[in-house]
Amino acid sequence: MKAPLDLDQLQTFVSIVDTGSFTRAAEAVLRTQSAVSMQMRRLEERIGKPLFEKDGRTNRLTEEGDRLLSYARRLLFLNRETLAAFDDRRLEGTIRIGTPDDYADRFLPEIMARFARSNPRVELTVICEPTPGLVEHIKRGNLDLALVTHSDAHGQSEVVRREPLLWVTSANHATHEQDVLPMAFGRPNCIWRRAAVDVLDRQNRDYRILFTSFSATVITAAVLSGLAISVLPECALRPGMRVLGDADGFGALPDCRIGIMRGQTSRPEIVDALARHISESLDNISVPLGEETGSFDFAAFSKMKRGKPNQIVPGW
């Protein structure tokens, strides 16, 4: 029987990826750089596959290293979750979290389930509002943490997920072929709405805004019924939608960045724990952001599985 994997080696491996270099990883795990290199050699021996390869002056993950990364994150998370379950000093109290309903529908089930297992004495109070409203709640002290659509104009948020923003229509209707495009958008201060309008204006496309709502359910209904076209992040795609692209006359949109905003709270330890759970939960169904700088080459594994033009969404 093979010996189990060493969690310390896996933690160092993940730190190399997260920090972008062996040097910064050594600082993060409080080891020397030579000790980090030795750990990775032993991990490669244990896996039986090379995890890194040289690319000029940089190191990048091999295909096997990329495969190991998701397993390593899950193992480390399960280790923390197990220890927390037997910790008599477990967190307890109440925390207020806000999120747009787009993200609540797709992400909250896993986030809440994981957090509740590790912190059964913590009560979650959840509200669903568009990002601008959540930002105001954070500023006024009404929320401890919010999962928001990141915008430089909204202040600082920690980006934890990046997704393509997509033009979508009904797979059963030719709504996108109308001379004047009927659109369904969020309210005027919606980031996605502004991005879509900018693209349509640059392309001189005729359109009219037929539906305006802060509710993702309303926007989705308008699209699926063939009444309107909209823009949604990849996580919000639903069965029966069709993705539109250049061939349909719809230009590229900026990526959607999902971030965490923290408010002023008397229980920062609970907020930190929930933020960590959110980041780790989203990472399990996401790809690395590919924005970090340093000697590590993230391009080798940061290719997103993007929604493709003319893709029909049959189901999850």
Side-chain angles (χ1 to χ4, degrees):
M1 179 178 178
K2 292 184 176 181
L5 291 169
D6 187 311
L7 290 178
D8 285 337
Q9 292 174 1
L10 293 177
Q11 181 63 68
T12 299
F13 172 69
V14 171
S15 293
I16 292 171
V17 175
D18 289 343
T19 62
S21 74
F22 279 61
T23 301
R24 285 194 289 272
E27 296 173 355
V29 299
L30 303 178
R31 295 179 184 271
T32 64
Q33 188 170 345
S34 60
V36 165
S37 298
M38 176 62 73
Q39 279 190 306
M40 291 306 94
R41 284 196 293 272
R42 290 176 176 171
L43 182 58
E44 288 179 327
E45 291 172 358
R46 183 67 190 84
I47 295 295
K49 303 286 185 181
L51 303 177
F52 302 94
E53 60 186 2
K54 283 289 186 180
D55 184 11
R57 295 184 177 180
T58 64
N59 291 293
R60 65 183 179 92
L61 281 180
T62 62
E63 182 178 349
E64 290 79 8
D66 191 10
R67 288 175 56 199
L68 177 63
L69 181 60
S70 62
Y71 288 109
R73 291 191 190 279
R74 286 155 57 189
L75 285 168
L76 292 170
F77 179 86
L78 183 59
N79 178 67
R80 287 194 293 270
E81 185 176 84
T82 302
L83 292 174
F86 292 92
D87 187 357
D88 292 333
R89 299 167 298 171
R90 284 179 291 181
L91 298 174
E92 56 182 301
T94 301
I95 186 171
R96 304 161 299 172
I97 177 176
T99 177
D101 55 355
D102 314 70
Y103 303 155
D105 181 53
R106 185 69 178 97
F107 301 138
L108 270 191
E110 181 172 355
I111 292 171
M112 293 174 69
R114 286 178 172 231
F115 187 74
R117 285 197 300 268
S118 296
N119 303 277
R121 299 177 185 174
V122 175
E123 176 187 346
L124 289 178
T125 299
V126 183
I127 68 168
C128 290
E129 285 192 21
T131 290
L134 296 176
V135 172
E136 287 302 312
H137 281 306
I138 287 287
K139 291 179 179 177
R140 295 173 183 173
N142 298 329
L143 286 176
D144 301 301
L145 183 147
L147 190 65
V148 300
T149 301
H150 177 85
S151 169
D152 296 335
H154 287 155
Q156 296 296 320
S157 68
E158 174 192 353
V159 177
V160 292
R161 181 177 172 94
R162 181 188 292 272
E163 289 197 352
L165 188 62
L166 305 169
W167 297 99
V168 292
T169 187
S170 168
N172 301 313
H173 302 81
T175 314
H176 62 289
E177 296 178 1
Q178 297 184 25
D179 292 334
V180 179
L181 300 172
M183 307 301 302
F185 288 137
R187 292 180 176 180
N189 58 355
C190 172
I191 299 171
W192 303 339
R193 172 173 173 160
R194 294 201 300 265
V197 166
D198 287 344
V199 172
L200 293 173
D201 287 343
R202 287 199 303 269
Q203 294 184 313
N204 294 317
R205 298 293 301 270
D206 291 329
Y207 66 92
R208 62 192 177 100
I209 299 177
L210 194 61
F211 297 98
T212 296
S213 176
F214 67 81
S215 169
T217 301
V218 172
I219 301 300
T220 297
V223 171
L224 291 175
S225 63
L227 295 175
I229 298 165
S230 190
V231 291
L232 295 172
E234 195 168 47
C235 68
L237 294 180
R238 293 293 182 269
M241 289 184 177
R242 174 186 170 189
V243 177
L244 301 170
D246 288 335
D248 305 296
F250 292 85
L253 293 161
D255 280 347
C256 167
R257 293 177 292 170
I258 302 173
I260 293 174
M261 291 191 74
R262 301 171 187 245
Q264 297 295 324
T265 176
S266 60
R267 300 302 305 273
E269 69 281 5
I270 301 181
V271 172
D272 290 343
L274 180 56
R276 185 171 62 251
H277 275 261
I278 291 174
S279 180
E280 292 174 343
S281 295
L282 297 191
D283 189 70
N284 284 335
I285 52 176
S286 175
V287 297
L289 299 176
E291 289 186 334
E292 294 86 342
T293 59
S295 61
F296 197 85
D297 181 8
F298 285 85
F301 66 99
S302 62
K303 297 176 181 177
M304 299 198 68
K305 182 180 179 182
R306 304 180 69 97
K308 298 177 180 179
N310 295 320
Q311 172 188 349
I312 305 296
V313 185
W316 291 118

